[in-house]
Amino acid sequence: MDSVRYDLDGTGRSVPLALKILIAGGFGAGKTTLVSALSEVRPLQTEEVLTDAGIGTDDLSGVEQKSTTTVAMDFGRITINDDLQVYLFGTPGQDRFWFLWDELAFGALGAVVLADTRRLADCFPSIDYFEQRGIPFVVGVNCFDGSRRFSLEAVRDALDLDPDVPMVLCDARERQSGKLVLISLVEHVARQRGEPVPVG
């Protein structure tokens, strides 16, 4: 994808092109962790402590140690070069905050859906959302310590994904692992648009 710079105020000064990528997935899938690992600046986080008020609403099965939740979004930034910046928006994972999704998704290049094999069904709402709106996405299977490992083919079958949706094993805590997921998304978007796939 070509990067361009825009002269916004007629002074010859230009600003880099900004690409927006969503980080989505179920409650506790690692979205905040991934944005934090990737962002070159201190990420903006809207995490709040889980309280007794969420009992009966928040399903903690499989993530019993989780004590906080994102209530609006996470935000991070990656500078690729002088001409290109990537903005990362982590979406809230709980149904009651989904009214924010349309605003967050507006203008997005694409999305990463983080899958937690301990709670794989939590991926379906995110996948359905992006499929229905024609937003390109990839699935990053977050490999949690101590969780059972499955092949990408097994996860693809369980999620009933189209064959052209890329899938990547990842560790949301590791910056390099997260970069590979983003590269997979950018390559996927380029292929869908019939553009040359970036190399390197």
Side-chain angles (χ1 to χ4, degrees), residues 42-168:
R42 183 177 180 181
L44 168 67
Q45 297 177 345
T46 58
E47 287 212 310
E48 296 294 337
V49 175
L50 292 167
T51 66
D52 290 344
I55 295 174
T57 302
D58 300 327
D59 178 10
L60 297 180
S61 57
V63 289
E64 291 83 1
Q65 302 306 311
K66 187 168 175 59
S67 60
T68 61
T69 187
T70 298
V71 297
M73 67 173 184
D74 300 312
F75 173 79
R77 186 187 75 207
I78 305 171
T79 299
I80 305 299
N81 54 42
D82 289 343
D83 295 323
L84 181 61
Q85 291 184 342
V86 176
Y87 294 152
L88 303 172
F89 288 84
T91 64
Q94 294 159 285
D95 293 356
R96 67 180 186 274
F97 299 122
W98 272 41
F99 64 92
L100 298 167
W101 275 52
D102 286 339
E103 290 293 329
L104 292 176
F106 182 77
L109 174 75
V112 172
V113 176
L114 277 182
D116 177 356
T117 57
R118 302 168 302 178
R119 297 162 55 99
L120 200 55
D122 288 359
C123 288
F124 285 115
S126 299
I127 291 170
D128 289 345
Y129 182 91
F130 298 126
E131 285 181 341
Q132 291 169 8
R133 287 158 181 80
I135 298 174
F137 68 95
V138 301
V139 174
V141 180
N142 196 6
C143 300
F144 286 88
D145 291 340
S147 63
R148 183 179 172 190
R149 300 297 170 96
F150 297 89
S151 69
L152 288 178
E153 292 76 16
V155 177
R156 181 182 296 279
D157 288 345
L159 294 176
D160 193 26
L161 288 176
D162 289 339
D164 64 333
V165 175
M167 297 188 66
V168 185

